[in-house]
Amino acid sequence: MVIAIANNLLSENVRVLKSEVSRTAYQAVAVAVASIIIATLLVCYYQNGEISLQGIVDAQKNNFALWILDGIPFVFGFWGQYSSSIIAYQAGALIFDQTQELRSRAEDLEKKATYTATHDVITDLPNRSLFYDRVEQGIISANNQNKHLSILLVEIVNFKEVYDTLGRTSSDHIIKQISSRLQGVVLGADSVAKLDGNIFSILITDPAGEQEAELVAEYIQKVLEPALVVERLSFAAHTNVGIVHFPEHGEDVDTLVQKAGVALYMASKDKDGFAVYEPSFDQHSPRRLTLMSELRHAIERNQLELYYQPKVSIQTGELYGAEALVRWHHPKHGFISPDEFIPMAERTRMIKSLTLWVLKEAFKHCAEWHRQGKELIISVNISAKDLHDPELPDLIAGVAVSTGIKPEWVVLEITEGSIITYPELTLEIMERLTKMGYKLSIDDYGTGYSSLAYLKKMPLTELKIDRSFVQDILHSESDDVIVNATINLAHNLGLQVTAEGVENEQIMDKLKSYGCDIAQGFYLSRPIAITDFNQWMESSQWQMKEEVALN
Ligand code: C2E
Ligand code: CA
Ligand code: CA
């Protein structure tokens, strides 16, 4: 198919080029014919003293030089045809070669992007998302063939110490050595993956009995016993292994990995350092380990709620928009802070469903405000993990269409961490979102590693100064200097600045004098449920511009 299209393209190119070259040859033939006419007329005039038909015929019959001239148009014609064919084919082939080269370069880039999205940068092992895909595939074929699967989670317990003492480069070396040893233990490198900084996973398809996983766990501990060496320092890895079996312990990958996490926790209490999941473990394991499977139900059963916190334009006092913040009212545990469950959701694939839920809910409310003539800008938090998902822009576009929202009404808040892990992929996704018309904001600015160079590269609209700096602006001189400098820096980069954590009027006044654009914080309102927010809008001193005009 591709070859047929390429061939068609080539013959079309050849036809165009040929007609171009032929046109020049026709012009040459015309010039030659004109020269013959002029030369014949001149010969006739010089021989007879006048121009007559008989004189022209005699000149053509008797003049040898005119005979040669008569032949030239034929030579030009023939030469033109011949060289046009050659040039056209050469040029056509050249274009064809270059097109092929460009196509193969584009394919290479695409492959590279897919590879970075599915592999761990340090070890080249499959990452969490590829591992989940493989387990899903494994589950399908195990179901078809009536077979079993085992999953092992391997945690290098003391890895943080290495990181803290030896730094990043050395700990990368250590993790590579561990990865090589693990690949040696199991057959086929593809069944080992790296899920987190210090957690590896192993998938055993079709184990020979339940004991095989335990045997592999023992091998893992043995192979990691000899010290790992970096910079002449030796390091003994201390590992725990959690094991689950399919189909006994769960029928989908999320449940299986969650239960393997519970087993891993119990392994840390066990002298052998490994444990196979048992339902009774759930009662002893920390709340966070069981919470994950409940979060899925919470999303499905609408136990989550979005709260809104207003954003106000500091210089004019007008209401600018609102940030959507998710809340979880757990039937048993009561209120659970997003600071607790978002990082957990980010460690599994749950974050994608959560973000989708938040987007749908927030866009729906925002569309409703606009229908009522309230032109609020909605800010939605997008997790670092979401920004590594090439499907994100399409998901957002789908929600926007189904809720009737315009991209200009939306700010997507992202944190610096997301950009640092996979800069190329993240930047590409950010650029796609910007082209679609969404505004991007860098959240919690000042707490990460963002350098000026990074900010310049990113298609951003807004910078949000982290609340930890803003809260103390009245009492800490250094925070005051940082906030003021950040506002100037952001303005120089053409970004609007939102200050979070505006807790009183004095902070608001100070920010106003620094030229800060937008304020968000308890002084204006705490995050509140949608009905409270709608009431707040009616009664608060911070009104939308249009409404002020109407009153
Ligand atoms: P964030 O994006 O920095 O959100 C602002 C947080 O600051 C909110 O905490 C808000 O309640 C709090 N805050 C606002 N004004 C003030 C103030 O004046 N003083 C103080 N001390 N705090 C203030 P919250 O709602 O607990 O959210 C915590 C974090 O959880 C958020 O931080 C955000 O990173 C994450 N989060 C919340 N909702 C979502 C969501 O829907 N998706 C994702 N991916 N993350 C979310
Ligand atoms: Ca935020
Ligand atoms: Ca923030």
Side-chain angles (χ1 to χ4, degrees), residues 323-325 379-382 413-415 443-444 464 500 520:
E323 177 174 3
L325 294 154
S379 298
V380 180
N381 292 286
I382 297 293
E413 295 192 3
I414 57 178
T415 50
D443 202 357
D444 302 344
K464 283 187 99 169
E500 294 180 335
Q520 182 181 345

Coordinates of all heavy atoms in Angstrom, one line a residue, residues 323-325 379-382 413-415 443-444 464 500 520, ligand 2:
E323 N -10.2 26.9 41.7 CA -9.5 25.7 41.5 C -10.3 24.5 42.1 O -10.9 24.6 43.1 CB -8.1 25.7 42.3 CG -7.4 24.4 42.2 CD -6.0 24.4 42.9 OE1 -5.6 25.4 43.4 OE2 -5.3 23.3 42.8
A324 N -10.4 23.4 41.3 CA -11.1 22.3 41.7 C -10.2 21.4 42.5 O -9.1 21.0 42.1 CB -11.6 21.5 40.5
L325 N -10.7 21.0 43.8 CA -9.9 20.2 44.7 C -10.7 19.0 45.1 O -11.8 19.2 45.6 CB -9.4 21.0 45.8 CG -8.4 22.1 45.5 CD1 -8.4 23.2 46.5 CD2 -7.0 21.6 45.3
S379 N -9.5 25.9 37.2 CA -8.2 25.2 37.3 C -8.3 23.8 37.8 O -9.0 23.5 38.8 CB -7.3 26.0 38.3 OG -7.1 27.3 37.9
V380 N -7.7 22.9 37.0 CA -7.8 21.5 37.4 C -6.4 21.0 37.6 O -5.5 21.3 36.8 CB -8.5 20.7 36.3 CG1 -8.6 19.2 36.7 CG2 -9.9 21.2 36.0
N381 N -6.2 20.2 38.6 CA -4.8 19.6 38.9 C -4.6 18.4 38.0 O -5.4 17.5 38.0 CB -4.7 19.2 40.3 CG -4.6 20.4 41.2 OD1 -3.6 21.2 41.3 ND2 -5.7 20.7 41.9
I382 N -3.5 18.4 37.3 CA -3.2 17.2 36.5 C -1.9 16.6 37.1 O -0.9 17.3 37.3 CB -2.9 17.7 35.0 CG1 -4.1 18.3 34.4 CG2 -2.4 16.5 34.2 CD1 -5.3 17.3 34.2
E413 N -3.2 22.6 35.9 CA -2.1 22.8 36.8 C -1.2 21.6 36.9 O -1.7 20.5 37.2 CB -2.6 23.2 38.3 CG -3.4 24.5 38.3 CD -3.7 24.9 39.7 OE1 -3.2 24.3 40.7 OE2 -4.3 26.0 39.9
I414 N 0.1 21.8 36.6 CA 1.0 20.7 36.7 C 2.2 21.0 37.6 O 2.5 22.2 37.8 CB 1.5 20.4 35.2 CG1 2.2 21.6 34.7 CG2 0.4 20.0 34.3 CD1 2.8 21.4 33.3
T415 N 2.8 20.0 38.2 CA 3.9 20.2 39.0 C 5.2 20.0 38.3 O 5.2 19.3 37.3 CB 3.8 19.3 40.3 OG1 3.6 18.0 39.8 CG2 2.7 19.7 41.2
D443 N 2.5 24.5 39.1 CA 1.9 24.6 40.4 C 3.1 24.4 41.5 O 4.2 23.9 41.1 CB 1.0 23.3 40.6 CG 0.0 23.5 41.7 OD1 0.1 24.5 42.4 OD2 -0.9 22.6 41.9
D444 N 2.8 24.8 42.7 CA 3.8 24.7 43.8 C 5.2 25.2 43.4 O 6.2 24.6 43.8 CB 3.9 23.2 44.2 CG 2.6 22.6 44.6 OD1 1.7 23.4 44.9 OD2 2.5 21.3 44.7
K464 N 2.3 29.4 39.7 CA 1.7 29.5 41.1 C 2.8 29.4 42.1 O 3.4 28.4 42.2 CB 0.7 28.4 41.3 CG -0.6 28.6 40.5 CD -1.7 27.6 40.9 CE -2.6 28.1 42.0 NZ -3.8 27.1 42.1
E500 N -0.6 31.4 46.1 CA -1.5 30.5 46.9 C -1.2 30.8 48.4 O -0.1 31.4 48.7 CB -1.0 29.0 46.8 CG -1.2 28.4 45.5 CD -0.7 26.9 45.5 OE1 0.1 26.6 46.4 OE2 -1.2 26.2 44.7
Q520 N -5.1 33.3 45.9 CA -5.9 32.2 46.3 C -5.6 31.9 47.7 O -4.4 31.8 48.0 CB -5.6 31.0 45.3 CG -6.4 29.8 45.6 CD -6.1 28.6 44.7 OE1 -5.4 28.8 43.7 NE2 -6.5 27.4 45.0
Ligands
CA2 CA -3.0 23.0 42.4

